[in-house]
């Protein structure tokens, strides 16, 4: 039997019961990793586990609302207890709570956006890093967005939270390099399962699709292989980078 590129590695993926997170979890498992999936609802976890196991993949799952300290701690504790290690963290959870003019965003919606999209990412990373240090290696992938590079009308606060992840990626990459832990970021473009509110706005969607060089929206699977690559030995000399997966949509040079 041929061993996968992530064979022997243990991966934690947040918000991984549907969409991009589930596609990443599936791909990491196919590539040989032992994967711990998670999201807020037990029913979502059960359903996703059922799908993965039906495909013959090795995965465990647990409830984790990334904004809740006790859930983050339980996610790390359960992974460590079941697998005795953590080599990979894919921080995929995010919310987009507000649509409209950024200046009309309430303080509550602003705080919640940053709590889930930025602060929880930082706090979960803090929890995971000691386990990677113990292991002597690690790979962290933060899931950002092209909205972090280029502001889009109506989702300003979400975009600013994703911009913060570009900075967090750089800071963590510098600080964790001595521990042999690489930190990179994935910036998806318009992927089919994106927020139904935006998706159902026909004019937004048409304008956006017209600006995509490859003339199609992406699939969660378009993101998954890139994350697997970033966590593999082939990416051993890549850290602090953000890879955009956006069909050529212009968001940076
Ligand atoms: P999605 O299809 O809407 O899936 C959301 C997943 O997140 C579900 O599994 C959900 O399960 C879980 N979830 C929601 N809130 C959570 C929380 N607070 N803690 C833990 N899990 C939570 O999401 P997606 O579109 O694939 O997006 C995934 C990531 O890609 C996000 O970071 C997003 O910003 C980024 N992104 C997506 C696109 C796109 O076009 N789709 C574009 C750019 C960036 P439960 O309901 O059980 O919690």
């Amino acid at each position: 039997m041929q061993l996968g590129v992530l064979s022997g590695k243990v991966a934690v993926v947040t918000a991984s019961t549907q969409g991009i997170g589930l596609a990443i979890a599936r791909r990491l498992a196919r590539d040989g990793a032992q994967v711990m999936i998670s999201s807020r609802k037990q029913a979502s976890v059960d359903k996703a586990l059922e799908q993965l196991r039906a495909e013959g993949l090795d995965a465990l799952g647990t409830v984790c609302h990334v904004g809740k300290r006790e859930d983050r701690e339980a996610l790390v504790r359960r992974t460590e207890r079941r697998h005795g290690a953590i080599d990979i963290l894919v921080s995929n959870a995010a919310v987009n709570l507000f649509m409209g003019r950024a200046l009309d965003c309430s303080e509550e919606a602003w705080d919640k956006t940053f709590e889930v999209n930025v602060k929880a990412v930082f706090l979960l990373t803090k929890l995971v890093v000691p386990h990677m240090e113990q292991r002597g290696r690690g790979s962290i992938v933060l899931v950002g967005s092209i909205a972090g590079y280029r502001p889009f009308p109506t989702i300003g606060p979400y975009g600013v939270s994703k911009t913060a992840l570009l900075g967090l990626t750089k800071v963590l990459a510098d600080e964790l390099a001595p521990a042999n832990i690489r930190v990179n970021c994935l910036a998806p473009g318009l992927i089919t399962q994106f927020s139904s509110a935006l998706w159902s706005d026909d004019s937004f969607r048409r304008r956006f699709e017209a600006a995509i060089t490859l003339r199609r929206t992406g699939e969660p699977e378009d993101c998954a292989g890139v994350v697997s690559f970033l966590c593999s030995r082939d990416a051993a000399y890549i850290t602090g980078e953000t890879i955009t997966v956006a069909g050529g949509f212009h968001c940076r040079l």
Side-chain angles (χ1 to χ4, degrees):
M1 188 183 86
Q2 198 182 351
L3 290 178
V5 289
L6 300 180
S7 196
K9 304 226 169 122
V10 178
V12 171
V13 188
T14 67
S16 44
T17 56
Q18 68 171 52
I20 294 171
L22 177 58
I24 291 170
R26 175 183 287 117
R27 178 59 189 262
L28 299 186
R30 276 189 191 153
D31 286 341
Q34 291 170 297
V35 180
M36 178 65 86
I37 66 163
S38 60
S39 76
R40 291 168 306 177
K41 299 178 203 121
Q42 185 67 53
S44 315
V45 174
D46 292 343
K47 191 171 157 216
L49 279 180
E50 208 176 296
Q51 285 177 44
L52 294 173
R53 285 173 184 160
E55 296 165 28
L57 297 171
D58 184 13
L60 294 171
T62 190
V63 165
C64 175
H65 181 320
V66 296
K68 294 186 179 167
R69 174 192 295 264
E70 60 278 16
D71 282 14
R72 292 190 299 266
E73 289 173 351
L75 174 63
V76 172
R77 196 172 54 244
R78 285 183 189 141
T79 309
E80 187 63 40
R81 195 178 296 151
R82 291 303 296 265
H83 294 299
I86 300 177
D87 302 290
I88 294 168
L89 169 65
V90 182
S91 175
N92 173 64
V95 287
N96 179 28
L97 296 170
F98 171 81
M99 291 186 63
R101 193 170 159 259
L103 284 172
D104 293 331
C105 181
S106 67
E107 182 175 351
E108 194 191 7
W110 182 274
D111 283 349
K112 182 85 185 162
T113 301
F114 278 77
E115 195 176 311
V116 172
N117 296 7
V118 184
K119 186 173 156 188
V121 177
F122 165 69
L123 291 174
L124 183 59
T125 303
K126 258 175 91 103
L127 283 178
V128 165
V129 161
H131 299 277
M132 293 180 168
E133 285 173 333
Q134 218 172 1
R135 190 84 153 161
R137 68 182 187 198
S139 174
I140 297 171
V141 179
L142 309 185
V143 178
S145 167
I146 54 168
Y149 282 117
R150 175 174 163 165
F152 291 110
T154 80
I155 54 168
Y158 167 84
V160 179
S161 74
K162 293 296 193 178
T163 306
L165 293 187
L166 301 174
L168 185 61
T169 300
K170 293 283 186 198
V171 168
L172 293 174
D174 282 353
E175 290 190 5
L176 295 175
N180 194 29
I181 299 170
R182 296 180 299 102
V183 186
N184 292 291
C185 181
L186 170 84
L190 192 59
I191 307 296
T192 41
Q193 313 211 1
F194 194 48
S195 125
S196 50
L198 266 187
W199 201 228
S200 57
D201 178 340
D202 272 351
S203 81
F204 174 88
R205 184 175 165 169
R206 269 198 308 275
R207 268 185 294 129
F208 203 109
E209 282 179 345
I212 299 173
T213 309
L214 292 180
R215 292 286 182 270
R216 70 166 176 91
T217 50
E219 299 293 332
E221 290 69 26
D222 291 321
C223 298
V226 174
V227 173
S228 177
F229 161 71
L230 286 173
C231 297
S232 75
R233 281 180 59 87
D234 284 337
Y237 200 49
I238 300 178
T239 195
E241 299 295 343
T242 297
I243 297 188
T244 56
V245 177
F249 184 88
H250 290 237
C251 60
R252 62 167 183 175
L253 280 179

